[in-house]
């Protein structure tokens, strides 16, 4: 019997959030995005998406949720849409546009079954992969909107950690280099990059090993690494996502800075 989107677990890494939390997180971050863009001029520039005005960022978020929902429903890869083709309506309609897009994806996951295999650009994967991907992208774009509008950005630690882990899942899949050729530059000879979480809660993190075929990663204490970025998990997420530079006061870097810079230059999603 196929489980619902609220209760199913998939054959993803053991630390992956449960489906119910992914659904809750998508709603949380969509609402945060809505608050960040509410009442703002559509032509407000988004510095972290330098080619886009705010209206295009809104269009992109609502459009990609709907696109992912369709991918889940039809079970095959579809062309990546152009955000310039999406119409989120007038600013006073943005909130509804964004909520409807998120709910469409959640409904598609629930109706299809989170563990039902669907074709993706990396081959067959559980349908939940699109919920994971859209949550990660929404978290980062929430920051983009908040930064552009001077709105406070907030994200729960477990969601920020999810973004890092989900990104690493993609980057460590050898086939991903066919989609993003720059990722092939992340291969190496065993160099290790650590992202160490500090502050309240467990002191753990992520260790990335640049193996000859593809990066490998593991979650846990950052004991030995050639370069280590340390900071609150939300700030690590922002460095990892190229939203905050590694020389920002919110994080510290120790070790081989050139290795880190090379990683960041080629690890963009």
């Amino acid at each position: 019997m196929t489980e619902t989107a609220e209760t199913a677990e998939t054959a993803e890494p053991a630390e992956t959030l449960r489906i119910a939390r992914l659904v809750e997180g998508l709603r949380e971050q969509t609402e945060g995005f809505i608050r960040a863009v509410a009442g703002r001029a559509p032509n407000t520039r988004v510095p972290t998406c330098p080619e886009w005005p705010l209206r295009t960022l809104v269009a992109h978020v609502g459009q990609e949720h709907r696109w992912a929902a369709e991918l889940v429903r039809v079970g095959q890869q579809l062309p990546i849409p152009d955000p310039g083709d999406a119409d989120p309506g007038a600013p006073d309609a943005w909130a509804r546009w964004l909520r409807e897009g998120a709910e469409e994806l959640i409904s598609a996951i629930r109706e299809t079954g989170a563990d039902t295999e669907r074709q993706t650009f990396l081959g067959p994967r559980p349908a939940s992969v699109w919920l994971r991907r859209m949550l990660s992208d929404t978290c980062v774009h929430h920051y983009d909107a908040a930064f552009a509008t001077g709105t406070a950005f907030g994200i729960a630690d477990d969601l920020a950690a999810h973004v890092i882990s989900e990104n690493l899942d993609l980057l460590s899949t050898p086939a991903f280099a066919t989609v993003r050729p720059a990722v092939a530059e992340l291969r190496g000879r065993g160099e290790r990059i650590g992202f160490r979480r500090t502050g309240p809660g467990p002191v753990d993190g992520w260790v990335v090993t640049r193996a000859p075929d593809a990066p490998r990663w593991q979650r846990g204490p950052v004991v030995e690494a050639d370069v280590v970025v340390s900071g609150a998990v939300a700030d690590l997420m922002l460095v990892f996502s190229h939203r905050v530079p590694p020389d920002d006061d919110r994080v510290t870097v120790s070790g081989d800075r050139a290795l880190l810079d090379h990683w960041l230059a080629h690890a963009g999603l």
Side-chain angles (χ1 to χ4, degrees):
M1 183 165 127
T2 302
E3 295 177 292
T4 67
E6 278 77 9
T7 60
E9 292 186 71
T10 69
E12 299 287 347
E15 57 145 19
T16 297
L17 299 178
R18 291 175 179 267
I19 297 299
R21 180 55 178 142
L22 295 174
V23 167
E24 183 181 55
L26 183 64
R27 287 174 173 151
E28 285 177 16
Q29 288 298 297
T30 299
E31 289 300 319
F33 186 96
I34 288 168
R35 289 191 295 273
V37 302
R40 304 295 178 163
N43 62 350
T44 301
R45 302 308 299 179
V46 183
T48 47
C49 298
E51 299 300 321
W52 286 355
L54 192 62
R55 185 184 187 280
T56 301
L57 181 62
V58 171
H60 169 66
V61 171
Q63 179 192 55
E64 71 172 356
H65 290 168
R66 290 166 170 83
W67 173 70
E70 186 67 7
L71 288 170
V72 169
R73 285 192 293 261
V74 304
Q76 61 186 20
Q77 191 61 27
L78 299 172
I80 297 174
D82 182 345
D85 294 337
D87 182 9
D92 60 2
W94 286 356
R96 187 173 76 171
W97 158 264
L98 291 161
R99 289 190 186 109
E100 287 177 349
E103 292 304 319
E104 186 174 336
L105 173 57
I106 292 166
S107 294
I109 294 287
R110 178 185 301 118
E111 293 161 8
T112 301
D115 55 352
T116 300
E117 276 200 351
R118 284 294 186 249
Q119 189 59 238
T120 76
F121 53 85
L122 296 176
R125 295 288 190 278
S128 60
V129 74
W130 289 112
L131 181 57
R132 297 184 72 219
R133 179 89 286 273
M134 291 301 105
L135 173 57
S136 290
D137 218 39
T138 303
C139 291
V140 174
H141 287 321
H142 174 197
Y143 175 79
D144 292 332
F147 185 72
T149 61
T151 306
F153 171 70
I155 184 170
D157 283 358
D158 63 337
L159 299 184
H162 161 83
V163 175
I164 297 173
S165 295
E166 192 270 341
N167 277 232
L168 284 170
D169 281 347
L170 284 177
L171 294 172
S172 62
T173 302
F176 191 56
T178 64
V179 180
R180 293 289 177 89
V183 170
E185 297 297 322
L186 300 179
R187 300 165 185 161
R189 298 184 298 245
E191 303 92 336
R192 291 161 63 87
I193 302 169
F195 295 88
R196 179 184 287 127
R197 170 181 174 168
T198 61
V203 179
D204 63 1
W206 297 257
V207 177
V208 182
T209 302
R210 298 179 63 165
D213 58 337
R216 299 283 181 262
W217 70 279
Q218 61 185 24
R219 185 78 187 270
V222 181
V223 179
E224 294 183 3
D226 298 294
V227 59
V228 177
V229 187
S230 301
V233 64
D235 295 326
L236 294 179
M237 181 201 85
L238 294 175
V239 171
F240 198 94
S241 303
H242 300 80
R243 265 51 186 187
V244 167
D247 55 2
D248 189 277
D249 289 343
R250 286 172 283 184
V251 298
T252 59
V253 178
S254 59
D256 188 347
R257 176 60 186 270
L259 177 62
L260 174 64
D261 290 342
H262 184 272
W263 169 273
L264 293 174
H266 296 90
L269 294 185

